[in-house]
Amino acid sequence: MTAVLDRAAAGPGAPGALVAAGRRARTRRWRLVVAVLTLVVLGLVVLTLCVGERSYTPAEVLRVLLGEQVPGASFTVSTLRLPRVLTGVLVGIAFGMGGVVFQTMLRNVLASPDIIGISAGASAAAVVAITMFGVSGLALSGIAIVAGVVVAGTIYALSWRQGVHGARLILIGIAVGAMLDSVVAYALTRSSVYDVNTALRWLTGSLSQAFWPVVGPLALAMAVLVPALLVLSRRLTALQLGDDASASLGVAPDRSRLALLVVGVALIAVGTAAAGPIAFVAFLSGPIAHRLVRGTGSLLVPAALVGAVLVVGGDLVGQQLLVTRFPVGVVTGVLGAPYLLWLLARTNRSGGSL
């Protein structure tokens, strides 16, 4: 009789079997979402390489990528379009992963780097460097990265009071961002028309300067930062449960938060240095990924792919589908602003967790 009861308890309708089936279903959904997003990114990359003022067939693009000389296509594809689309993918991954780190760690969707002033720090330093010192190229990227890290450290230090709490960090970040915006406005009023045009193009967020000298350092930085963040993903998941619960799981909250902050800020800074602060990509990627996977598994990889879709897709729309060409930051800004307004209204009713 006992054996019969044990077999019944272990049958298809047993609680343990139901939990295991639910876990398998969630894993399948996570893998399906990642696979579909990967295909979308690859499709956008191929489309970007094929279309333009002069379009080429996928076969011609493939021959160029394999190193074959194709009259008319080799220069356009390998020198102009390929570095642009690679920069878009890498920047989208950087913004997507960096944004979801802050939103998950602080358990507030408003805690995005472009909302709490980290991107503004890199922007302000770059605009001052352009308009007052004539800096350009890799030196400008280095200044933007250092400034982003310094501003993030300042916001973190000002937010510290026996630990860092999300609401305080967000408010301090917004205040610091507002101050940095005034620095940008002052620098623009003191500069020449030529420098203003250069600074505004950089502030908007654009892939127009994405050539091979930009791709190399960006890819190298991403090759270090992305694996580092994936290693820290378990700590990020534990911090979602709160400080006490994460400590009980063997994850030191403050030390883990600091490590995640360093990697997250570095991702945002290198992305901003390569293409400027492309609006709302870091802010939108995490929530979109969360709704696609329905809270199953880590959001890092899905958010990275969503970021790549937003940047590459936004650049494709801004360059090819509109009457006038617009930088990618204008397209993402149009998409992100209504979502921010909706989120602010929703946050008042239900809180701001991701």
Side-chain angles (χ1 to χ4, degrees):
M1 182 65 181
T2 303
V4 173
L5 291 176
D6 289 343
R7 283 196 296 273
L18 292 175
V19 171
R23 189 179 294 122
R24 285 195 296 273
R26 291 193 294 271
T27 302
R28 281 197 300 271
R29 181 176 183 85
W30 188 91
R31 290 175 178 171
L32 178 63
V33 168
V34 169
V36 171
L37 287 173
T38 302
L39 290 176
V40 173
V41 172
L42 291 175
L44 288 171
V45 169
V46 173
L47 195 59
T48 302
L49 293 176
C50 290
V51 302
E53 289 187 0
R54 181 172 179 181
S55 298
Y56 304 101
T57 65
E60 289 176 315
V61 170
L62 181 61
R63 288 168 57 197
V64 172
L65 296 180
L66 292 175
E68 188 176 338
Q69 286 296 320
V70 180
S74 292
F75 175 79
T76 304
V77 173
S78 63
T79 304
L80 301 179
R81 295 180 186 175
L82 186 57
R84 185 184 185 107
V85 74
L86 289 178
T87 301
V89 171
L90 293 173
V91 167
I93 291 173
F95 284 161
M97 297 185 90
V100 84
V101 165
F102 283 86
Q103 290 168 326
T104 304
M105 183 172 61
L106 299 173
R107 290 184 290 174
N108 194 316
V109 73
L110 290 174
S112 173
D114 44 0
I115 302 293
I116 62 175
I118 295 173
S119 300
S123 303
V127 170
V128 170
I130 292 171
T131 57
M132 295 187 176
F133 302 101
V135 180
S136 61
L138 291 178
L140 180 63
S141 300
I143 290 172
I145 292 172
V146 171
V149 173
V150 170
V151 169
T154 302
I155 294 172
Y156 188 82
L158 292 174
S159 308
W160 181 270
R161 187 177 297 170
Q162 296 178 340
V164 172
H165 299 282
R168 189 163 61 239
L169 187 143
I170 292 169
L171 291 175
I172 290 175
I174 290 174
V176 171
M179 287 190 289
L180 292 170
D181 288 341
S182 67
V183 173
V184 171
Y186 173 77
L188 292 177
T189 60
R190 304 284 295 176
S191 59
S192 66
V193 173
Y194 175 78
D195 288 337
V196 167
N197 287 333
T198 305
L200 286 178
R201 187 170 61 245
W202 200 90
L203 279 173
T204 305
S206 171
L207 298 177
S208 62
Q209 301 300 315
F211 298 110
W212 285 116
V214 174
V215 177
L218 177 61
L220 183 62
M222 295 294 288
V224 174
L225 295 172
V226 171
L229 185 55
L230 293 177
V231 169
L232 293 170
S233 62
R234 177 179 168 272
R235 295 172 180 267
L236 183 63
T237 303
L239 287 176
Q240 284 183 280
L241 305 174
D243 287 1
D244 293 337
S246 60
S248 66
L249 295 173
V251 175
D254 291 334
R255 211 161 42 203
S256 301
R257 199 174 283 118
L258 183 59
L260 287 163
L261 182 72
V262 170
V263 179
V265 168
L267 282 167
I268 296 299
V270 298
T272 305
I278 301 176
F280 293 120
V281 174
F283 177 61
L284 289 172
S285 298
I288 292 175
H290 178 73
R291 278 157 182 77
L292 290 175
V293 301
R294 295 181 182 174
T296 300
S298 171
L299 288 178
L300 288 175
V301 175
L305 293 170
V306 170
V309 170
L310 290 175
V311 175
V312 179
D315 188 55
L316 188 63
V317 170
Q319 296 298 308
Q320 307 299 336
L321 299 184
L322 302 177
V323 177
T324 303
R325 292 190 174 185
F326 291 101
V328 59
V330 173
V331 179
T332 57
V334 171
L335 292 175
Y339 176 75
L340 176 60
L341 294 174
W342 173 81
L343 183 66
L344 289 172
R346 176 179 171 272
T347 301
N348 289 332
R349 298 193 301 269
S350 59
S353 60
L354 192 66

